[in-house]
Amino acid sequence: MKKFAIVLAFAVLLAFPVFAAAQAEVAGPASFVPTKNIEWYVTSSPGGGSDIFTRNLMDIMVSDKLVNDQNIVIQYKTDGAGEVGRLLVSNIKAGSQADHTLLTFNSGDLMPMAKNTNNRFENFQPIAHLAVDKHLIFVGEGSAYKNFEEVIAALKAGKNITLAGSKGDDIACHAALIKELGVSEDQFAYIAHDASSGAITAILGNHYDLLICKPAAASQYVEAGKIKPILALSTSRFPGNLSSAPTLKELGYKNVEVPNWRSVVGPKSMSAEAVAYWSDVFKQVSTTDAWTKGYIEKQKLVPEFMDHNVFKAYGTQFQAEYLASIGKDK
Amino acid sequence: MENLTMLLGGFSVVLTMQNILVTLLGAVLGLIVGAMPGIGSLAGVALLLPLTYKFNPTTAIIMLGSLYYANMYGGAFSAILLNIPGDSPAVMTALDGYPMATKRNRPGQALFTSNMSSFIGGLIGMFILTFTGPALANLGLKFGPAEMTALLLVAMTSIGWLVGENPIKGVLLTLVGILIASMGMDTLTGSPRFDFGNMYLLGGIPFTPFVIGTVGFSQVLKLMGERNKKVEANLSQKLTIRGSMLTLHDIKRLLPPAIRSGFLGTFVGVLPGAGATTGSFMGYAMQKAFKSEEELGSGAIEGIAACEAANNAAAAGSFAPLLALGIPGSGTGAVLLGGLMMWGLNPGPLLFTNQPEFCWGLIASLFLANLLTLVIALGIIPFLIKILTVPIKILIPCITVICIVGSYSTSNSMYGVLVMFFSGLFGYILDKNGYSTAPMLLAFVLAPLLESNMRKSFISSHGSLDIFFRKPISAFLILVLFAIILTPVIKFVIRKVRSSTKSV
């Protein structure tokens, strides 16, 4: 009797995987669902823009039950200015782990990565592009300039101007702007800070002429009357309290914009089923009220959803253009 | 007076059962996090932040505020007892704290000194914050790149007091510190520098593992050499609170440096980019200019008091720009700021006007946290000093584990551990050959700040030196710098002239 029980137990055990495999086959290739903890890498420090973006996504995914009741664990990998975390994700081998790994990826990450390392956008699996941040130029209360026409006039008169801002996309924005205005970097100098908050501090203390930053960081200071927007680096004016700033086109130049897009990617080795699944999850998140009102509107971003296919083409082109602009396209 | 009423209003927010419990929880966690090397206030606040999203914002910030605050106390424990700074501001505490606990056999008093000065420094910082909050923040704004450069140059001269008997060794290590600090990304252009093609070095040498290595792990290596030495089982004092009490004379020695550092620390905390670590370095360096009964570095009460008071005051001071302008004065402040946004508040210049109960609740909670932490910290002294009776043989593996865990947890990778091992070895070799590592650490902390501010100044002035003389604050600081540098030279010249006239 004992023997029989053991044999029966074995039979049942053996039957399980077969049965499970059969089930998977029936459901077809698009049937990936998370079956274990999801590891979500963020390559910036907690509390910053990338972290807030990730946590908002995560909260909605968990509360709307879009991840099959699995846990999402955020991993902060900030070594090597984030390059170590990005390299780690791009190197994950195919398999279950690859399907359960996500990485928050912005153009502000892509630019230094492409510039300083050999890691490229192609080494990741694009999943979803969710939102775009654009830039404005501001003056502080004590600034010598009231609007951007005065700045242009001063530049033409040979005066020196200093512009304070953050890293990454802010620097690329400045480069595009001086190219369009036709002035040298010596004359229209850029002073990089670790974060926008540092640049804002310096402008509040009236240590530089101009400030470049994204709307979310500046909004409160505009409301308090501490800084004033004078130029929108976008193809159209911004809404709300930023609407007084004209675009470059209105001032007789071509528009300049270097969008900082916010997206999610995975390891290159992620299976096609998992890619389709995650892309769809983020599409669902992007239509929720919690996302559009609680995040996009509050942080003054432009909502712009792209699924994995569209995003792949977009990101690849963005990188090619960026590499060409810094002379690294060969 | 109005501010006092607001503060009392703040206390009415804080003194509910729930908020007191949360403050207590924050204080206990802060002490633990602070005492664990590697997990400083930054990591502690960052780890707890997600837990607080579901709280109401006032309760959440009270908990994180008191955690941040208590952390400044905790860091000193391991610095004094094990010579491993629990967090970066405690590096300076170890200089005098460890000798006082071991060589002078007064571990209880050393801890008592550090706790009392933390309390005094913090209290000074909080009172300044209460009465001058926004004005204090505006003073911080006056410090642009030129002013910061001048101030940092003045601070750098204090290295001269840290170099010890052999100035050449001191200068050499200062240069090494600057060199190590310059590895990684260039702060202004973002281009890699001294990274030797290594992905990890791109981010530079992380401060915490570097400090744990040079100060803590090198200590382990040193202890290994004397592992068979017997521990004197009977400490000269009783392991009780009473046995740890300071004498009246001790308190008289403690007060002046603690009060001086309280003011200095608050000021440093308000400055952009300078946090509690810079505060405690400067506090200690300033003490060198004043009289201490025992020589600094040999276990002097004044040394512990000066840096501990300064770092707590700086922590309180850093709340001024955070609350009044929405500008974080330190890394931890930046995380708190991120938290404010997640809780649905808009940090910025309108926070005091729009959310007064939140701001004043936070300030009131700092007072409460300061008091609660002091009580808890004093209460556990008798238990903590028992560590010193543990035989070295057992202590060595324990400290090693703490060093490894601490350096791993700064970036969750083995890179930190490697940095810790190598800098430990380096620190040990230096120590064996009579080099003091303090100038190197000071240079490592100040050099990046100095570099970025100096380069910002020169970019905006197009390379002209007159930027340092254009505004009164920087001009004054540069004059102070010249005075410090030239005084010995002038003294020397006068002496020469005098002796030559005498001989004639």
Side-chain angles (χ1 to χ4, degrees):
Chain A
M1 198 57 206
K2 219 177 185 180
K3 259 188 191 166
F4 178 71
I6 292 172
V7 171
L8 189 71
F10 259 108
V12 171
L13 273 178
L14 282 174
F16 253 115
V18 177
F19 187 63
Q23 238 188 355
E25 255 167 55
V26 171
S31 71
F32 169 82
V33 282
T35 48
K36 61 174 197 173
N37 278 354
I38 295 128
E39 295 202 0
W40 195 328
Y41 288 87
V42 175
T43 52
S44 314
S45 301
S50 295
D51 184 38
I52 293 175
F53 168 80
T54 310
R55 289 197 175 277
N56 272 286
L57 284 172
M58 184 185 95
D59 276 357
I60 299 169
M61 284 158 72
V62 171
S63 62
D64 287 8
K65 301 206 177 301
L66 298 174
V67 284
N68 195 26
D69 281 332
Q70 296 300 323
N71 281 326
I72 301 178
V73 184
I74 297 193
Q75 305 268 13
Y76 299 98
K77 285 276 176 196
T78 53
D79 278 342
E83 302 304 346
V84 175
R86 290 191 273 276
L87 189 70
L88 191 145
V89 171
S90 67
N91 281 336
I92 290 176
K93 298 263 178 324
S96 166
Q97 187 56 47
D99 293 353
H100 290 84
T101 301
L102 299 171
L103 167 73
T104 295
F105 196 77
N106 308 325
S107 50
D109 295 328
L110 173 67
M111 288 186 275
M113 181 181 85
K115 188 177 167 195
N116 299 327
T117 75
N118 294 322
N119 210 354
R120 291 288 178 269
F121 186 68
E122 299 86 80
N123 300 344
F124 299 91
Q125 170 59 53
I127 292 174
H129 172 293
L130 285 142
V132 175
D133 243 350
K134 288 178 186 172
H135 306 76
L136 290 119
I137 287 186
F138 301 84
V139 285
E141 277 178 302
S143 172
Y145 307 100
K146 295 274 166 296
N147 52 47
F148 204 71
E149 282 100 330
E150 288 183 19
V151 176
I152 294 173
L155 284 170
K156 280 188 180 147
K159 276 199 178 152
N160 294 323
I161 303 269
T162 47
L163 171 66
S166 179
K167 292 176 171 170
D169 44 308
D170 286 12
I171 296 179
C173 237
H174 166 253
L177 179 64
I178 55 172
K179 205 171 160 195
E180 175 59 29
L181 294 177
V183 291
S184 74
E185 201 176 334
D186 269 347
Q187 200 193 348
F188 195 161
Y190 187 79
I191 317 251
H193 294 74
D194 284 342
S196 291
S197 61
I200 294 175
T201 315
I203 286 296
L204 293 183
N206 200 23
H207 299 292
Y208 305 113
D209 298 319
L210 308 173
L211 163 76
I212 181 168
C213 78
K214 283 162 276 196
S219 180
Q220 277 291 303
Y221 301 92
V222 173
E223 210 169 290
K226 299 273 180 198
I227 57 174
K228 196 181 103 181
I230 57 164
L231 182 69
L233 292 168
S234 167
T235 42
S236 57
R237 286 190 179 216
F238 281 80
N241 58 10
L242 303 173
S243 63
S244 63
T247 62
L248 258 188
K249 198 170 184 185
E250 294 174 46
L251 303 176
Y253 290 87
K254 265 191 260 163
N255 276 327
V256 165
E257 68 165 26
V258 182
N260 176 46
W261 36 265
R262 297 190 179 276
S263 77
V264 180
V265 301
K268 172 121 183 132
S269 57
M270 187 183 264
S271 68
E273 297 83 31
V275 174
Y277 173 84
W278 288 119
S279 188
D280 184 55
V281 164
F282 288 113
K283 189 179 171 69
Q284 288 180 47
V285 171
S286 73
T287 58
T288 57
D289 260 9
W291 179 253
T292 51
K293 294 223 163 62
Y295 178 72
I296 296 279
E297 223 168 84
K298 212 162 95 188
Q299 303 275 343
K300 294 200 161 56
L301 293 157
V302 185
E304 204 176 302
F305 182 83
M306 294 181 200
D307 72 3
H308 59 102
N309 286 321
V310 183
F311 176 36
K312 188 172 186 177
Y314 173 77
T316 312
Q317 196 196 343
F318 184 94
Q319 178 179 271
E321 282 171 12
Y322 175 69
L323 286 174
S325 79
I326 57 167
K328 232 186 140 180
D329 46 342
K330 272 171 207 132
Chain B
M1 222 42 229
E2 194 197 340
N3 286 5
L4 208 58
T5 334
M6 298 295 264
L7 181 66
L8 289 177
F11 272 112
S12 71
V13 175
V14 173
L15 294 175
T16 61
M17 203 54 205
Q18 187 196 10
N19 287 345
I20 293 178
L21 282 177
V22 162
T23 313
L24 201 63
L25 182 67
V28 173
L29 285 174
L31 279 175
I32 298 173
V33 164
M36 296 275 290
I39 316 178
S41 59
L42 182 61
V45 172
L47 287 174
L48 273 189
L49 189 63
L51 292 182
T52 62
Y53 289 151
K54 306 286 182 265
F55 288 15
N56 85 53
T58 314
T59 309
I61 190 90
I62 287 175
M63 176 156 142
L64 294 183
S66 73
L67 187 145
Y68 176 41
Y69 209 74
N71 187 73
M72 298 292 147
Y73 278 80
F77 291 164
S78 40
I80 290 173
L81 295 174
L82 303 172
N83 203 14
I84 302 176
D87 57 358
S88 36
V91 173
M92 290 288 131
T93 316
L95 286 186
D96 274 292
Y98 186 66
M100 180 163 172
T102 51
K103 282 191 200 133
R104 292 190 192 272
N105 251 335
R106 302 183 76 196
Q109 280 80 356
L111 290 172
F112 211 100
T113 306
S114 120
N115 290 340
M116 279 312 290
S117 355
S118 293
F119 180 76
I120 295 168
L123 210 57
I124 292 173
M126 285 168 200
F127 270 112
I128 298 178
L129 177 66
T130 306
F131 290 105
T132 61
L136 194 62
N138 282 327
L139 175 69
L141 287 184
K142 294 258 187 312
F143 279 75
E147 288 82 359
M148 284 302 284
T149 309
L151 181 71
L152 286 162
L153 283 173
V154 172
M156 285 291 234
T157 61
S158 65
I159 289 181
W161 294 317
L162 291 176
V163 293
E165 296 117 43
N166 191 332
I168 294 177
K169 285 181 175 175
V171 171
L172 200 67
L173 274 196
T174 307
L175 297 179
V176 170
I178 295 176
L179 203 61
I180 295 176
S182 63
M183 288 170 76
M185 293 274 215
D186 178 317
T187 45
L188 289 184
T189 59
S191 47
R193 193 166 63 177
F194 303 129
D195 66 331
F196 304 103
N198 182 308
M199 190 74 73
Y200 284 96
L201 292 181
L202 201 58
I205 300 290
F207 182 62
T208 314
F210 181 63
V211 168
I212 296 179
T214 39
V215 183
F217 192 65
S218 68
Q219 173 75 14
V220 172
L221 295 175
K222 206 168 134 195
L223 283 177
M224 283 180 193
E226 32 195 84
R227 67 182 176 283
N228 289 323
K229 216 169 71 180
K230 272 199 187 134
V231 186
E232 292 143 45
N234 299 322
L235 287 168
S236 62
Q237 60 160 121
K238 282 187 197 143
L239 301 181
T240 57
I241 283 253
R242 198 166 289 173
S244 311
M245 283 288 199
L246 296 171
T247 63
L248 202 62
H249 178 65
D250 289 338
I251 292 175
K252 269 192 197 145
R253 288 172 62 192
L254 178 157
L255 278 178
I259 291 171
R260 269 197 303 267
S261 282
F263 284 98
L264 176 81
T266 311
F267 170 68
V268 173
V270 175
L271 297 178
T277 310
T278 319
S280 94
F281 275 76
M282 285 190 175
Y284 189 82
M286 185 175 73
Q287 184 54 32
K288 286 266 177 183
F290 290 90
K291 256 209 183 99
S292 309
E293 197 173 290
E294 287 143 356
E295 202 192 327
L296 283 193
S298 71
I301 287 186
E302 289 88 348
I304 304 177
C307 52
E308 275 301 307
N311 88 47
N312 278 53
S318 69
F319 276 98
L322 185 71
L323 291 176
L325 299 165
I327 293 164
S330 63
T332 316
V335 178
L336 284 176
L337 196 71
L340 296 183
M341 281 149 113
M342 289 300 290
W343 299 320
L345 294 170
N346 287 317
L350 299 177
L351 193 65
F352 256 110
T353 348
N354 292 347
Q355 310 274 351
E357 74 281 9
F358 173 84
C359 290
W360 288 103
L362 171 62
I363 295 178
S365 80
L366 289 181
F367 279 98
L368 186 67
N370 199 20
L371 190 68
L372 286 178
T373 317
L374 179 72
V375 173
I376 299 171
L378 291 181
I380 54 176
I381 286 180
F383 304 100
L384 283 174
I385 47 185
K386 292 218 170 85
I387 291 178
L388 291 177
T389 61
V390 175
I392 292 176
K393 273 186 238 175
I394 296 174
L395 213 51
I396 291 171
C398 294
I399 303 180
T400 310
V401 169
I402 295 174
C403 287
I404 293 175
V405 172
S407 47
Y408 181 83
S409 58
T410 45
S411 63
N412 287 323
S413 70
M414 287 307 281
Y415 172 55
V417 180
L418 271 180
V419 169
M420 188 275 290
F421 271 122
F422 281 116
S423 45
L425 211 58
F426 185 50
Y428 177 69
I429 295 170
L430 291 178
D431 190 65
K432 270 274 159 188
N433 292 293
Y435 288 82
S436 148
T437 48
M440 180 170 75
L441 295 177
L442 183 69
F444 188 81
V445 170
L446 296 183
L449 276 176
L450 177 65
E451 187 208 347
S452 87
N453 280 300
M454 192 172 72
R455 286 180 55 195
K456 281 173 193 163
S457 312
F458 281 134
I459 292 176
S460 55
S461 76
H462 284 259
S464 158
L465 277 169
D466 74 344
I467 186 162
F468 297 114
F469 298 97
R470 244 184 264 158
K471 287 183 196 156
I473 299 177
S474 55
F476 172 73
L477 286 169
I478 290 284
L479 287 180
V480 172
L481 175 72
F482 280 134
I484 294 175
I485 295 176
L486 292 179
T487 312
V489 179
I490 294 170
K491 267 188 189 162
F492 177 75
V493 171
I494 291 176
R495 219 178 297 142
K496 264 274 156 99
V497 170
R498 266 192 199 156
S499 61
S500 64
T501 47
K502 256 183 207 168
S503 63
V504 169

